[in-house]
C-alpha cells in the first residue's frame, strides 16, 4: 500500500543537450564512462520542436498548470482539425504519445505517415487523469497527462513525417516516442501456455483461473502468455519458483489493476516480456492496486515489462533479496512507480523508464527494517507530478548512480536523500550513501507547504540528523528553476545535515542559487563549476533561527558561485540577481548563532531574532562564556549594538567582554580588548561598541568574563552594522 501521509510544516551534459533539443534517448550503453539514464529502445521527440498548426503552451513551472507537468514544461494544444507533425528520428513501426485532453472528455487522434492517413487511430481519454489527493498537504489536482501507444502496421524510416490530428476533442500533445518493435517472440519449449488452461486471448472472458492453473502446473518452469489481451479480475498469490513470460510487451497484454498480491514467497519468480495495464483512475492508498504488492521472494526478477494505469508499479515488502528490476516501462501510475518498502537487501533497479508517476518515481522507504546494499542505477525518469524523481528515505549503504531525471513538479526534487520517516519504526540513513553520476534537468519545485523552493538535489534531515556519510559526485544540474543543492531539515526541527561531500558537479542555469543551506550542518564542495546562476552562489540561512550554522568547506576547483545571498529575511527569486544589500541593515539579524553554553530555553539564536524581549543566557556560574554569530560572508563591520531586555525589572549591571573576529571560523583575533560595559534600563539597556577601522570579519564572537547582575553572560540582541 502507498503512503497516505506526506506532511511538511508551514514554515552528463550531452544528455541534457539532447533533452533541450527535443530528443530523449540513451546514447551509450554501459561504456567506460556510463551515460546517465537508461539505454532505451525508443527515441522521444518533444511536440514543441515539431511542426504544428496548433498552439504552443508553456514553458510554465506553476503548480496546477498543464504545461508544468509536460516534458520540457511545454506542449502543443490542438483543436479539432489541427495537427502536429513529427520528423521520425529513427526507423520505427510503433509510436507512444504523451497527451492530455480536458477533464471528462475522450476522443481520437488521426494518424498520418508522409501525408497518408492510416486506418488506425489513437484513442485519447481523460479517464486516467485529473487525480485529486486532498489528504496530501500541498497537493492540487494533478496527473494531467496520459500515454497511448499504437503499432503503425508499417515501417517508418528516419526522416519520414508522422502527424497526429485532433478530430473531436481538444488534445495537448507533449511528446512522441518512436520505436522499432521486434516481432513477437516464440513460445519457449516445454512451457505451459495460459491458453492451454483456458485463458481467453480476446480479452472477453475471465482468464484469472487459467493463470492460476498454469502457474501451478509450471512449477520450476515457464508460464507462456501468447500474444493477446487477457482479463484477470483478481490478484494472484502463492507465486513462486516460476517464470511468467510473454511474447513482448507490445503483444502479450494482461488487463488487471492487481496482478500479484502476496506477503511472502520462496522466491525464484521471474516476470518478463508482457504488459500489465490497469484501470486505476484515482489514488486509494488502502487498495493494493499494484502490479506487484508484497514479496516475490529472493532471487527474483522483473524485466522488459510495460506497466501502466496502476496505483503503484511495484510496492515491495517482505523478502525480495537480490531482486533485479530492469528494462521496464512504468507509466501513468497514480502513486509511486516502485517503492522498496523496507527490508530490501541487495536489490538492483536499473535501466528502467518511468513517466508521469503520481508520487516518487523510485523510492526506498526503510519502514520496519532498513533497506540495505540496494541501488537505483541508469534509470530515466520524467515528469513525476507530486513528489521526487528518486527518493531515499532512510536505509544503509544505498547507491543512486547514473540516473537521468527531468521535470519534477510540486513537492519534489530530482533526488531526495532524506530522514523523513512518515511512520515508525523507521531506520534512518546509515553507512555510506552514494549519489554518483546523475543528471538532473529542470528538477526542483516550489513547495506550497514551505512556501519556498526545493532544490534539484535535496539532503533532508526531516525527522533526525543525517549521521550517514553522504557522497555526491559527478552530478550535472541543468535548467533547475530554483537551486542545485539543498540542505534542509524539512520537519522544521533544525536537525543537522552533515558528513556530506559534493565533488565534481556541473551546474548550468539555476534560477536562484547553487547551494540552498537551510539547516545546521556541514558539507565540503570540490570541483563544482557553475554558469548561469540566477541570484547568488549560496543561500546560507539555517532554520529555525539559532539552531546552528551550516559550514561550507571549499575543497578547491569551484567556480562561478562565490557570492552569498545577503538577506535571510527574503527568498531569492528566479533570475533576480543578488541585489546590493541595505547598507543600514543589521548584519547579525537572523544569522546562525552558537555559544559555549546556554541556560534552559535561553538559546544563542534569541540574541539575533530581532526581539529585544527574548535573550540568550549562558550556562550559569561558568565564566568565561562565548557567543558567536556567522554573518554569512566577510564584511567590514564598524559598530556593534548590544542589548538586554528594556523592562525595568532588569536591574542595571556591568558585563566584562571582548570582541573577537574571524574570516574562516577557525582562527580568531581580538578586535576590541576586554573592558566593562554598563547596561542600564534607564538608558534603554543598550550599549554601543565601536569597531576599529579596517575590521573585516565573517564570524563575530563576544567573550564574556563577568556580569555584576547575574552569574552568566546575557544578551537580548547583538546587532552589527557597516557604519
Amino acid at each position: 500500500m502507498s503512503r497516505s501521509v506526506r506532511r511538511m510544516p508551514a514554515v552528463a551534459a550531452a544528455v541534457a543537450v539532447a533533452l533541450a533539443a527535443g530528443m530523449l534517448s540513451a546514447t551509450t550503453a554501459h561504456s567506460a564512462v556510463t551515460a546517465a539514464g537508461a539505454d532505451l529502445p525508443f527515441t522521444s521527440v518533444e511536440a514543441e520542436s515539431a511542426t504544428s498548426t496548433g498552439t504552443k503552451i508553456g514553458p510554465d513551472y506553476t503548480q496546477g498548470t498543464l504545461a508544468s507537468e509536460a516534458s520540457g514544461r511545454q506542449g502543443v494544444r490542438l483543436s479539432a482539425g489541427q495537427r502536429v507533425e513529427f520528423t521520425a528520428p529513427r526507423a520505427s513501426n510503433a509510436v507512444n504519445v504523451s497527451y492530455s485532453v480536458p477533464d471528462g472528455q475522450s476522443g481520437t487522434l488521426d494518424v498520418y505517415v508522409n501525408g497518408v492517413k492510416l486506418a488506425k487511430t489513437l484513442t485519447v481519454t481523460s479517464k486516467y487523469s485529473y487525480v485529486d489527493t486532498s489528504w496530501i498537504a500541498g497537493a492540487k489536482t494533478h496527473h494531467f497527462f496520459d500515454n497511448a501507444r499504437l503499432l503503425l502496421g508499417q515501417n517508418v524510416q528516419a526522416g519520414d513525417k508522422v502527424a497526429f490530428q485532433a478530430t473531436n476533442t481538444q488534445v495537448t500533445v507533449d511528446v512522441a516516442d518512436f520505436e522499432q518493435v521486434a516481432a513477437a517472440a516464440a513460445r519457449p519449449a516445454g512451457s505451459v501456455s495460459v491458453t492451454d488452461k483456458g485463458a481467453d486471448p480476446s480479452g472477453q472472458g475471465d482468464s484469472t483461473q487459467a493463470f492460476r492453473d498454469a502457474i501451478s502446473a509450471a512449477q520450476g518452469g515457464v508460464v507462456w502468455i501468447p500474444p493477446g489481451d487477457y482479463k484477470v479480475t483478481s490478484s494472484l498469490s502463492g507465486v513462486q519458483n516460476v517464470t511468467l513470460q510473454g511474447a513482448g510487451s507490445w503483444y502479450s497484454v494482461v488487463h488487471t489493476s492487481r496482478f500479484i498480491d502476496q506477503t511472502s514467497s520462496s522466491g525464484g519468480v521471474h516476470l518478463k516480456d508482457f504488459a500489465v495495464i490497469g484501470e486505476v483512475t484515482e489514488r486509494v492508498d488502502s487498495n493494493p492496486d499494484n502490479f506487484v504488492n508484497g514479496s516475490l521472494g529472493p532471487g527474483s526478477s522483473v524485466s522488459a515489462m510495460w506497466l501502466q494505469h496502476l496505483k503503484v508499479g511495484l510496492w515491495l515488502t517482505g523478502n525480495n533479496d537480490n531482486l533485479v528490476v530492469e528494462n521496464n516501462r512504468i507509466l501513468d501510475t497514480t502513486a509511486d512507480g516502485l517503492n522498496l518498502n523496507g527490508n530490501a537487501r541487495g536489490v538492483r533497479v536499473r535501466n528502467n523508464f518511468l513517466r508521469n508517476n503520481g508520487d516518487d518515481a523510485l523510492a526506498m522507504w526503510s519502514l520496519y527494517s532498513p533497506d540495505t546494499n540496494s541501488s537505483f542505477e541508469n534509470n530515466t525518469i520524467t515528469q513525476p507530478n507530486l513528489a521526487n524523481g528518486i527518493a531515499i528515505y532512510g536505509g544503509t549503504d544505498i547507491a543512486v548512480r547514473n540516473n537521468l531525471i527531468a521535470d519534477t513538479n510540486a513537492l519534489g526534487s530530482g533526488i531526495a536523500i532524506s530522514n523523513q520517516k512518515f511512520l515508525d519504526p523507521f531506520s534512518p540513513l546509515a553507512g555510506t550513501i552514494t549519489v554518483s553520476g546523475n543528471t538532473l534537468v529542470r528538477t526542483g519545485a516550489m513547495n506550497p507547504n514551505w512556501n519556498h523552493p526545493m532544490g534539484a538535489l535535496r539532503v533532508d534531515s526531516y525527522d533526525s540528523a543525517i549521521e550517514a556519510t553522504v557522497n555526491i559526485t559527478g552530478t550535472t544540474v541543468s535548467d533547475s528553476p530554483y537551486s542545485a543543492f539543498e540542505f534542509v531539515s524539512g520537519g522544521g526541527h533544525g536537525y543537522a545535515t552533515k558528513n556530506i561531500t559534493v565533488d565534481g558537479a556541473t551546474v548550468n542555469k539555476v534560477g536562484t542559487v547553487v547551494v540552498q543551506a537551510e539547516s545546521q550542518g556541514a558539507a565540503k564542495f570540490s570541483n563544482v563549476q557553475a554558469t548561469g546562476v540566477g541570484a547568488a552562489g549560496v543561500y546560507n540561512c539555517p532554520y529555525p533561527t539559532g539552531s546552528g550554522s551550516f559550514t561550507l568547506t571549499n575543497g578547491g576547483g569551484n567556480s562561478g558561485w562565490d557570492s552569498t545571498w545577503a538577506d535571510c529575511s527574503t527568498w531569492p527569486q528566479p533570475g533576480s540577481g543578488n541585489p546590493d544589500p541595505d547598507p543600514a541593515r543589521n548584519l547579525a539579524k537572523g544569522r546562525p548563532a552558537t555559544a559555549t553554553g546556554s541556560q534552559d530555553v535561553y538559546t544563542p539564536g534569541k540574541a539575533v531574532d530581532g526581539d529585544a524581549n527574548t535573550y540568550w543566557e549562558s550556562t550559569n556560574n561558568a565564566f568565561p562564556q562565548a557567543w558567536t554569530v556567522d554573518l554569512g560572508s566577510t564584511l567590514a563591520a564598524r559598530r556593534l549594538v548590544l542589548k538586554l531586555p528594556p523592562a525595568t525589572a532588569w536591574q542595571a549591571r556591568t558585563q566584562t567582554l571582548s570582541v573577537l573576529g574571524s574570516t574562516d571560523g577557525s582562527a580568531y583575533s581580538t578586535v576590541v580588548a576586554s573592558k566593562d560595559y554598563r547596561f542600564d534600563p534607564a538608558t534603554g539597556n543598550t550599549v554601543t561598541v565601536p569597531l576599529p577601522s579596517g575590521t573585516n570579519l565573517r564570524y563575530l564572537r563576544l567573550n564574556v568574563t563577568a556580569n555584576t547582575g547575574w552569574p552568566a553572560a546575557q544578551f537580548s540582541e547583538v546587532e552589527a552594522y557597516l557604519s
Side-chain angles (χ1 to χ4, degrees), residues 702-723:
L702 303 179
N703 192 60
V704 184
T705 57
N707 181 349
T708 62
W710 196 259
Q714 297 170 313
F715 300 111
S716 66
E717 286 297 308
V718 177
E719 300 173 353
Y721 296 94
L722 295 171
S723 62

Side-chain angles (χ1 to χ4, degrees), residues 376 399-403 415 434-439 471-475:
F376 294 149
V400 179
R401 296 190 182 98
N402 303 321
N403 300 282
I415 296 174
T434 301
V435 184
S436 175
N438 299 287
T439 294
N471 293 328
I472 303 169
T473 60
T475 306

Side-chain angles (χ1 to χ4, degrees), residues 194 197-213 229-236 254-256:
V194 294
K197 298 297 182 179
D200 179 3
S202 74
Q204 299 301 307
D206 186 347
S207 297
T208 307
Q209 191 58 46
F211 271 72
R212 290 174 176 157
D213 291 344
D229 291 272
Y230 301 90
K231 182 168 66 175
V232 172
T233 57
S234 60
S235 56
L236 307 176
V254 178
H255 295 273
T256 183

Side-chain angles (χ1 to χ4, degrees), residues 562-580:
D562 56 354
S563 61
T564 299
W565 184 259
D567 186 0
C568 284
S569 67
T570 63
W571 282 99
Q573 296 302 307
S576 65
N578 194 3
D580 292 332

Side-chain angles (χ1 to χ4, degrees), residues 187-188 190-197 213-215 217-218 222-225:
R187 177 179 179 175
S191 61
V192 177
S193 175
V194 294
T195 56
D196 292 343
K197 298 297 182 179
D213 291 344
I215 290 169
V222 176
V223 170
W224 171 242
I225 307 172

Side-chain angles (χ1 to χ4, degrees), residues 68-132:
S68 73
E69 288 193 14
S71 174
R73 313 300 175 117
Q74 299 180 76
V76 174
R77 179 178 290 123
L78 306 177
S79 298
Q82 293 182 323
R83 64 168 56 188
V84 57
E85 184 176 81
F86 295 87
T87 300
R90 59 182 292 169
S92 314
N93 61 4
V95 66
N96 177 73
V97 176
S98 174
Y99 71 90
S100 178
V101 297
D103 195 9
Q105 297 187 24
S106 296
T108 59
L109 287 171
D110 286 338
V111 184
Y112 295 79
V113 176
N114 294 326
V116 178
K117 182 179 177 182
L118 303 187
K120 296 181 177 182
T121 60
L122 198 64
T123 300
V124 293
T125 178
S126 65
K127 179 179 180 179
Y128 307 101
S129 305
Y130 302 93
V131 174
D132 290 306

Side-chain angles (χ1 to χ4, degrees), residues 77-290:
R77 179 178 290 123
L78 306 177
S79 298
Q82 293 182 323
R83 64 168 56 188
V84 57
E85 184 176 81
F86 295 87
T87 300
R90 59 182 292 169
S92 314
N93 61 4
V95 66
N96 177 73
V97 176
S98 174
Y99 71 90
S100 178
V101 297
D103 195 9
Q105 297 187 24
S106 296
T108 59
L109 287 171
D110 286 338
V111 184
Y112 295 79
V113 176
N114 294 326
V116 178
K117 182 179 177 182
L118 303 187
K120 296 181 177 182
T121 60
L122 198 64
T123 300
V124 293
T125 178
S126 65
K127 179 179 180 179
Y128 307 101
S129 305
Y130 302 93
V131 174
D132 290 306
T133 51
S134 58
W135 66 92
I136 298 177
K140 296 181 178 181
T141 300
H142 58 283
H143 207 66
F144 300 131
F145 286 89
D146 195 30
N147 286 264
R149 65 181 188 171
L150 182 69
L151 286 167
L152 297 172
Q154 66 182 77
N155 291 318
V156 172
Q157 302 306 312
D160 284 351
K161 305 299 183 182
V162 179
F164 301 93
Q165 181 170 305
T167 57
N168 50 4
T169 189
Q170 182 188 92
V171 183
T172 299
V173 178
D174 177 22
V175 63
D177 307 326
F178 290 86
E179 180 174 357
Q180 187 69 43
V181 177
R187 177 179 179 175
S191 61
V192 177
S193 175
V194 294
T195 56
D196 292 343
K197 298 297 182 179
D200 179 3
S202 74
Q204 299 301 307
D206 186 347
S207 297
T208 307
Q209 191 58 46
F211 271 72
R212 290 174 176 157
D213 291 344
I215 290 169
S216 178
Q219 286 300 292
V222 176
V223 170
W224 171 242
I225 307 172
D229 291 272
Y230 301 90
K231 182 168 66 175
V232 172
T233 57
S234 60
S235 56
L236 307 176
S237 61
V239 181
Q240 56 192 7
N241 191 31
V242 69
T243 296
L244 276 68
Q245 180 177 343
S249 63
W250 285 82
Y251 301 108
S252 302
V253 182
V254 178
H255 295 273
T256 183
S257 297
R258 304 176 183 181
F259 190 63
I260 293 177
D261 186 4
Q262 56 191 24
T263 58
S264 64
S265 170
S266 63
V269 176
H270 303 285
L271 311 173
K272 57 189 294 188
D273 300 323
F274 61 101
V276 171
I277 299 179
E279 286 295 320
V280 177
T281 60
E282 298 292 342
R283 173 174 172 173
V284 181
D285 283 350
S286 59
N287 291 346
D289 295 331
N290 313 325

